[in-house]
Amino acid sequence: LSSSEFEAASQIAGGTRESALEYFQRLKDGIDTVKNDFDFVLVDAPPSLGIIGIQTLLSVDNIIIPCPPRMLDFVSTRMFLQTATEYVNNVASDKVFNSIKVMISMYDRRNEKSREFVEVMEAVLSNHMYSNMMLHSESIDNSTAVFQTPWEADKPDKRITENMKSVFNEICTDLIARNTNNG
């Protein structure tokens, strides 16, 4: 993505506002060619307001942001959401998202500070959070280090795979409900 960011910058530099907006529309146009073949198209974009980040925001209907229950990560997520929604509104005032939700990631329920900070996040974000939290685990770290999922490990960690199923089921159920109600 970082190399495409540089290519994109050179393609839209010096052009008109309309040509830049046309460039930002390309990802959406690409997704539109396959969206009827799938229930969901997931785009894993960097949490930045660079060209690729903005292009992604203009192309999606729902935003899911993983955020560890730590102050710096939470403040960064809040600032990103605020700035991103303002920017998208300035560029495409008719853009509407079906949902914007935060999923707590890397949660360590043994850590008292994490448990306390989840309460802060819930108070601030209320219904913009998923209730299931992705647990922090060495089995996740170990499997991603060798480009695998926790299910592909030699000895899958049942606690983690069950947790992941719960998180993914909640997200899918929410997305189906929101996208069925909104066309």
Side-chain angles (χ1 to χ4, degrees), residues 126-172:
S126 61
N127 62 343
H128 294 285
M129 281 181 52
Y130 288 107
S131 58
N132 284 296
M133 300 171 230
M134 188 72 70
L135 298 176
H136 182 267
S137 166
E138 282 188 34
S139 66
I140 293 173
D141 294 342
N142 293 340
S143 62
T144 57
V146 292
F147 302 103
Q148 292 181 331
T149 68
W151 285 276
E152 296 169 304
D154 291 335
K155 294 182 181 179
D157 183 336
K158 186 172 173 83
R159 179 182 67 94
I160 293 304
T161 56
E162 290 301 315
N163 168 250
M164 293 175 80
K165 283 181 194 176
S166 296
V167 171
F168 299 150
N169 283 337
E170 180 183 11
I171 290 170
C172 287

Side-chain angles (χ1 to χ4, degrees), residues 7-8 15 22 37 51 93 95 105 120 146 149 159 166 181:
E7 289 176 28
E22 185 178 305
D37 299 332
I51 293 170
S93 59
K95 176 66 181 166
S105 62
V120 171
V146 292
T149 68
R159 179 182 67 94
S166 296
N181 296 336

Side-chain angles (χ1 to χ4, degrees), residues 49-140:
L49 291 176
I51 293 170
I52 301 302
I54 296 300
Q55 188 177 42
T56 301
L57 288 171
L58 293 171
S59 303
V60 300
D61 298 319
N62 305 280
I63 300 173
I64 302 168
I65 301 174
C67 181
R70 299 184 296 241
M71 178 61 82
L72 185 57
D73 292 296
F74 180 65
V75 169
S76 176
T77 297
R78 289 276 322 255
M79 291 301 299
F80 171 79
L81 279 172
Q82 181 179 354
T83 307
T85 52
E86 287 173 8
Y87 190 81
V88 167
N89 200 24
N90 287 337
V91 173
S93 59
D94 59 337
K95 176 66 181 166
V96 176
F97 296 103
N98 291 340
S99 69
I100 301 174
K101 282 200 156 184
V102 171
M103 177 203 63
I104 294 177
S105 62
M106 299 174 56
Y107 178 64
D108 183 353
R109 57 181 151 207
R110 298 168 299 175
N111 184 313
E112 185 177 342
K113 298 261 188 241
S114 287
R115 288 193 316 267
E116 290 172 358
F117 203 76
V118 165
E119 293 176 15
V120 171
M121 293 174 76
E122 289 171 341
V124 173
L125 296 172
S126 61
N127 62 343
H128 294 285
M129 281 181 52
Y130 288 107
S131 58
N132 284 296
M133 300 171 230
M134 188 72 70
L135 298 176
H136 182 267
S137 166
E138 282 188 34
S139 66
I140 293 173

